[in-house]
Amino acid sequence: MNRMIRIAAAAALALTFGGAFAQAAAINGEVKKIDEGAGKITLKHGPAKSLGMDEPMTMVYRVKDPALLKQVKVGDKVKFEAQEGDGGYTVTAIQKAK
């Protein structure tokens, strides 16, 4: 019984810290342009520490999944996650900011 409680507590702790890390990687931005044909989105955003960007800027990003572009429209305030790869920066997740 004690072992199950310890495992459950460890899982809860991992989920708590995992959520904090995911939130820390989120970047605040605004959608400026969507190019569904090219699978790209232009985002004006603040500092993106997870990408090594200390200054606010506007950039064109590829999207990992073109379906992400259907979740937002030009002018939306968003939170997104991105990663750097060989071909530049790619948005891996995006959602409207609350």
Side-chain angles (χ1 to χ4, degrees), residues 41 70 93:
I41 187 168
K70 300 215 182 281

Side-chain angles (χ1 to χ4, degrees), residues 36-76:
E36 287 188 48
K40 295 182 179 181
I41 187 168
T42 303
L43 296 165
K44 179 180 178 181
H45 59 79
K49 302 289 185 184
S50 62
L51 301 175
M53 299 175 194
D54 293 329
E55 300 295 323
M57 62 186 70
T58 301
M59 288 182 54
V60 177
Y61 291 87
R62 289 184 172 86
V63 290
K64 183 176 181 178
D65 179 0
L68 293 174
L69 297 176
K70 300 215 182 281
Q71 297 176 12
V72 295
K73 65 183 184 312
V74 173
D76 282 348

Side-chain angles (χ1 to χ4, degrees), residues 26-42:
I27 304 161
N28 294 314
E30 180 183 347
V31 178
K32 295 308 236 176
K33 182 179 177 183
I34 295 173
D35 185 343
E36 287 188 48
K40 295 182 179 181
I41 187 168
T42 303

